[in-house]
Amino acid sequence: MSVAPEDADRVHRELGLSDEEYENIYALLGRHPNHLELAMYSVMWSEHCSYKSSKIHLKRLPTEAPWVLVGPGENAGVIDVGDGIAVAIRIESHNHPSAIEPYQGAATGVGGILRDIFTMGARPIAVMDPLRFGPLDDPRSRWIAEGVISGVSGYGNSVGVPTVGGEIVFDETYKGNPLVNVLAMGVLPVERLVLGRASGVGNLAVLLGASTGRDGIGGVSVLASAGFDEESANADKRPSVQVGDPFEEKRLLEACLELLDEGLVTGIQDLGGAGITCATSETASRGGAGMDVDISAIHSREEGMEPFELMTSESQERMLAIVQPRDLDRVLEISSRWEIAASVIGRVTGDGQLRILDGFDGEVLAELPASTLHDDAPEYDRPLAPPQDLNERRSLDASVGPVDCSADLLTLLRDPAWVYSQYDHQLFLNTVVGPGSDGTLLRLRDPRTGRETGRALGLSTDGNHRWCHVDPRQGTVMVVAEAAMNIACVGAEPMAVVNCLNFGNPEHPDVMWQLSEAVDGMSEACKAFNAPVVGGNVSLYNETNSIDIAPTPVVGIIGMHPRLVEQPPGITVGVGLSLVLLGQQPQGDVSMAGSRWAWEIGGCKGGTLPGFDLTQAVRTVAFVSEIVQQNRVEAVHDVGDGGIGVALAEMAINSRVGMDVSGLDDHRALFNESGGRVVVALSDSDLRSFLEESSNRGVPAQFIGRTGGPSLVLGSIVDLSVADLTRASRDALPQALGQGTVSG
């Protein structure tokens, strides 16, 4: 069964395995691996599946808390939210497939993340999509954006799970290499929680769902571990992109949840990256078992598929269930009723070996210890070093540039409504606060009865490549803090974080430095907010023509609103209200580093980030969450991208009400992005007591102006009608993407 060494040398390199990795495989097996075994190791030891470049750093993240039921390492993180209810949450990337086939790349990203949720026993109730594309003036970037948005809406709407929020960013750094991250959340009774483990000698491995095809072969090795070049429209990589079927996914979802409700499954695993190889080896390894796999039993849709194709295909809408023999007939009956194909492809053994057979009594095609594919994957401590020009970059003055505050403000406005209007965000009627606000808020219903609990779940996804390019550690701290502030704005208190770490080539020392610094920043912030990391994803080799993307750690945060009595105030203001700026105020010369103004108008990508007090941010988040729960304010809005100028403009646009704000003397005051701040609106009669309470709670508060009139007046530097602001904001995306205008 061994491959000749000279042949193996050629094959393993073609499969993306290094010479050192091949030698490790040889040592583990005590012989040369054959072609099938090499293919299995290549996908399982890929960057996507093994995290070989990042796991040494990921170990520094906080992952435990009394409410964490399942942390990193399973299909999704799970937290206990009380009353016998648990919540599963996961975030993933589908960056490289979306660069090749935008619609299918995004669609299968949604499908994969949903399977991660219901494989834990949870019914998915929400999707969020943080999206990042190249500049709007680039035709290919627009084509990718349109395809991705259609893919998210086409799959999510069809499978019946609402897309309730996300982000959309356009920047030169993502030209040729978009970031398509997807978060999903589901709810389950605690007793229905099932893990992806194979146990019980003699139990059966049942493949459920779609037939296996040649789509997606090599996805984790061909796409996820390679950058792109200018020719990468990359037609040669298209076969590595999976093809999704949301209607098959819906049937599979319902069938799996019914199997779990009846207690017919002892373990279950989604088939994502590395396909059957991953599902069989990981379940066996986690369960301390082995498995015999009959490759001839795999239901396929293409003739003449080779063993390595069947074992590594990433065809979508498939699950692997571990079933006791006595329950097989009932499993097959339920699968048939949901029109889901089901095949017994494996048997759990006690010897720890993963054997691939042509018939259970037939030829042994591959044999290797299951744990070696999973637990013995390489772990690299790659060289890291800050960029050589770091000091030079930090010495730049990011506030320099042409200044026309009114024109600049109009340029920075970009309403994402055109995007989220294509998503169904009211499915299940759980959505209390949907797209267009700081955070999302969903009613928490008992998954057993459907009854409302009186509580709600807050969700937000956040990332900021500009901050993290300037300072990856502090930038990531600020990203986590902004995510926490966003859910505070809908009254939720942080409980847990998931992350999607999008970086360039890990073989570049500066990229590894960025990743290490970002992990340390995330660790610091998550500890401060007492919100452990319960899962995540690392996407590396995001580069085009050997130019790495700006570091883009994206976080998803989940929190609890303990008593949902009224609709949270949102960002809409009435006439005659006082405006108060809460949170840490910039001192001295205000830094513009990392701001949208500096990048998009001033043209500076350096400088030093504004000072950030994490302890102060924690206090402000707690205070904001409390006042929203108590309906103490008429409106609340996080100050994020674009600074207070954009925040106030967004409030005016959504309210169709003007504002008169003082104390904004120049573009630095208007557009700086000092973190940990929110604008609240409240009645004049409550102003004095509110300012006193803020001071007593250690939260800086400053009266800045009042609402009313037809225009947004910001000191002496901006005087724009609400109508002009609205037109600029809402027309930006539709015009750029060739859809005309939506203002009227």
Side-chain angles (χ1 to χ4, degrees):
M1 183 159 70
S2 275
V3 180
E6 63 272 13
D7 189 28
D9 286 346
R10 177 179 59 82
V11 173
H12 81 259
R13 289 170 185 160
E14 289 178 355
L15 291 172
L17 291 165
S18 70
D19 292 347
E20 181 183 2
E21 288 168 347
Y22 181 84
E23 291 301 320
N24 288 341
I25 295 169
Y26 180 87
L28 288 167
L29 298 180
R31 58 175 172 81
H32 293 291
N34 64 29
H35 288 185
L36 174 57
E37 292 164 340
L38 272 178
M40 294 167 67
Y41 277 109
S42 76
V43 292
M44 290 301 296
W45 286 16
S46 67
E47 199 70 62
H48 178 86
C49 288
S50 73
Y51 295 161
K52 57 189 177 185
S53 297
S54 58
K55 58 187 175 183
I56 192 171
H57 301 289
L58 299 177
K59 295 173 183 178
R60 303 198 296 272
L61 293 171
T63 59
E64 297 180 347
W67 53 90
V68 175
L69 300 178
V70 179
E74 278 282 349
N75 293 289
V78 182
I79 61 173
D80 189 337
V81 295
D83 301 325
I85 304 170
V87 174
I89 187 168
R90 171 80 170 171
I91 192 169
E92 264 279 8
S93 64
H94 240 219
N95 302 336
H96 293 84
S98 300
I100 306 302
E101 290 282 2
Y103 185 96
Q104 291 295 349
T108 54
V110 174
I113 199 73
L114 292 177
R115 291 193 300 280
D116 286 333
I117 297 300
F118 67 79
T119 195
M120 306 303 297
R123 178 174 292 280
I125 64 169
V127 165
M128 302 185 81
D129 60 340
L131 308 174
R132 288 164 169 82
F133 307 106
L136 279 167
D137 60 4
D138 175 58
R140 180 168 175 79
S141 295
R142 292 198 301 271
W143 173 74
I144 292 173
E146 290 175 338
V148 166
I149 292 164
S150 296
V152 172
S153 64
Y155 202 102
N157 293 354
S158 297
V159 80
V161 179
T163 302
V164 297
E167 305 168 86
I168 186 162
V169 174
F170 297 90
D171 191 274
E172 184 73 27
T173 194
Y174 307 116
K175 185 178 179 180
N177 197 129
L179 300 186
V180 179
N181 297 173
V182 186
L183 176 148
M185 181 188 71
V187 180
L188 69 154
V190 170
E191 64 269 18
R192 197 164 68 193
L193 176 62
V194 178
L195 302 179
R197 298 179 182 176
S199 59
V201 174
N203 283 346
L204 307 175
V206 182
L207 181 63
L208 302 169
S211 299
T212 300
R214 289 188 170 94
D215 57 307
I217 292 175
V220 298
S221 53
V222 174
L223 294 185
S225 300
F228 296 110
D229 54 43
E230 253 344 307
E231 303 300 320
S232 278
N234 282 2
D236 61 320
K237 296 179 179 178
R238 281 195 183 118
S240 299
V241 180
Q242 309 97 324
V243 178
D245 180 349
F247 304 105
E248 178 81 9
E249 179 104 338
K250 175 63 174 175
R251 294 194 300 271
L252 181 62
L253 184 159
E254 298 297 344
C256 287
L257 291 183
E258 186 170 345
L259 293 173
L260 292 168
D261 277 335
E262 292 196 19
L264 300 172
V265 171
T266 64
I268 192 165
Q269 175 76 27
D270 163 45
L271 270 73
I276 293 173
T277 295
C278 181
T280 54
S281 65
E282 285 196 350
T283 54
S285 179
R286 291 176 186 147
M291 190 176 295
D292 289 348
V293 178
D294 177 8
I295 204 161
S296 68
I298 298 170
H299 48 275
S300 61
R301 60 175 178 267
E302 298 186 45
E303 295 290 332
M305 291 186 69
E306 297 288 336
F308 84 89
E309 294 177 311
L310 290 164
M311 290 300 297
T312 63
S313 168
E314 296 174 13
S315 293
Q316 297 290 284
E317 293 84 39
R318 300 181 299 161
M319 302 284 280
L320 188 73
I322 308 301
V323 175
Q324 297 184 65
R326 70 186 185 200
D327 295 325
L328 178 61
D329 288 345
R330 179 58 177 159
V331 170
L332 297 178
E333 179 187 340
I334 291 172
S335 300
S336 177
R337 181 157 49 79
W338 285 104
E339 300 180 2
I340 290 296
S343 304
V344 177
I345 69 164
R347 296 172 181 167
V348 179
T349 66
D351 61 4
Q353 295 293 111
L354 179 63
R355 277 178 288 270
I356 313 304
L357 310 164
D358 188 7
F360 282 121
D361 298 318
E363 180 185 1
V364 178
L365 304 177
E367 183 172 1
L368 40 87
S371 63
T372 63
L373 291 167
H374 185 249
D375 300 332
D376 292 322
E379 180 176 308
Y380 293 137
D381 188 3
R382 295 190 183 276
L384 54 85
Q388 294 183 354
D389 64 345
L390 182 62
N391 290 334
E392 180 184 344
R393 282 173 18 196
R394 289 181 171 174
S395 68
L396 297 175
D397 184 355
S399 66
V400 175
V403 177
D404 181 338
C405 289
S406 291
D408 294 349
L409 179 57
L410 293 174
T411 298
L412 293 174
L413 294 175
R414 187 181 294 142
D415 189 346
W418 180 84
V419 176
Y420 63 71
S421 66
Q422 301 179 53
Y423 305 148
D424 190 336
H425 50 269
Q426 283 295 345
L427 287 161
F428 307 136
L429 301 179
N430 289 325
T431 308
V432 180
V433 180
S437 296
D438 292 311
T440 294
L441 195 66
L442 300 164
R443 292 181 183 85
L444 176 62
R445 301 180 188 270
D446 190 311
R448 293 155 293 205
T449 65
R451 295 177 180 173
E452 293 190 25
T453 62
R455 299 181 290 147
L457 299 168
L459 277 175
S460 179
T461 59
D462 286 278
N464 194 303
H465 65 285
R466 301 181 311 277
W467 297 347
C468 294
H469 174 81
V470 174
D471 186 331
R473 181 167 185 155
Q474 183 182 325
T476 305
V477 170
M478 293 170 65
V479 165
V480 175
E482 182 170 11
M485 186 67 80
N486 281 331
I487 64 167
C489 288
V490 295
E493 301 164 5
M495 290 188 71
V497 164
V498 290
N499 61 54
C500 199
L501 305 179
N502 306 277
F503 289 81
N505 190 330
E507 298 165 41
H508 298 162
D510 59 326
V511 170
M512 287 309 303
W513 174 81
Q514 292 168 346
L515 176 61
S516 178
E517 289 287 289
V519 167
D520 286 339
M522 187 171 296
S523 177
E524 180 185 358
C526 289
K527 290 176 181 177
F529 285 104
N530 198 23
V533 176
V534 297
N537 174 67
V538 181
S539 175
L540 302 178
Y541 293 96
N542 291 290
E543 58 177 342
T544 304
N545 293 332
S546 299
I547 300 175
D548 299 301
I549 65 163
T552 313
V554 173
V555 302
I557 192 165
I558 183 171
M560 178 65 68
H561 190 307
R563 47 188 178 278
L564 184 62
V565 178
E566 299 180 50
Q567 182 88 10
I571 69 173
T572 302
V573 301
V575 176
L577 298 175
S578 294
L579 295 168
V580 174
L581 180 61
L582 287 177
Q584 49 196 292
Q585 309 301 321
Q587 304 295 319
D589 290 335
V590 180
S591 172
M592 297 291 289
S595 67
R596 279 188 65 201
W597 186 93
W599 276 53
E600 298 179 21
I601 295 171
C604 179
K605 299 183 178 180
T608 302
L609 290 179
F612 186 77
D613 185 337
L614 181 56
T615 302
Q616 177 63 71
V618 171
R619 283 200 299 269
T620 304
V621 164
F623 183 63
V624 170
S625 176
E626 183 180 310
I627 62 176
V628 171
Q629 292 170 19
Q630 298 172 354
N631 287 285
R632 298 266 309 279
V633 294
E634 301 292 326
V636 57
H637 192 16
D638 170 54
V639 177
D641 285 3
I644 192 171
V646 168
L648 292 171
E650 289 173 343
M651 296 176 80
I653 291 166
N654 277 271
S655 312
R656 299 183 180 180
V657 173
M659 302 176 183
D660 191 343
V661 176
S662 60
L664 302 175
D665 308 328
D666 59 17
H667 68 291
R668 294 175 300 173
L670 196 61
F671 299 122
N672 85 83
E673 295 180 12
S674 300
R677 300 180 295 164
V678 297
V679 175
V680 300
L682 67 163
S683 65
D684 291 346
S685 60
D686 294 331
L687 177 61
R688 183 173 180 177
S689 62
F690 184 85
L691 294 175
E692 289 177 354
E693 183 178 356
S694 300
S695 177
N696 292 336
R697 295 285 295 274
V699 177
Q702 177 185 355
F703 170 78
I704 59 173
R706 292 177 56 79
T707 65
S711 298
L712 179 66
V713 180
L714 305 177
S716 61
I717 56 178
V718 170
D719 188 342
L720 290 166
S721 72
V722 174
D724 286 343
L725 293 168
T726 301
R727 191 175 302 109
S729 176
R730 294 184 177 171
D731 288 352
L733 282 183
Q735 283 183 337
L737 296 173
Q739 304 296 318
T741 64
V742 295
S743 62

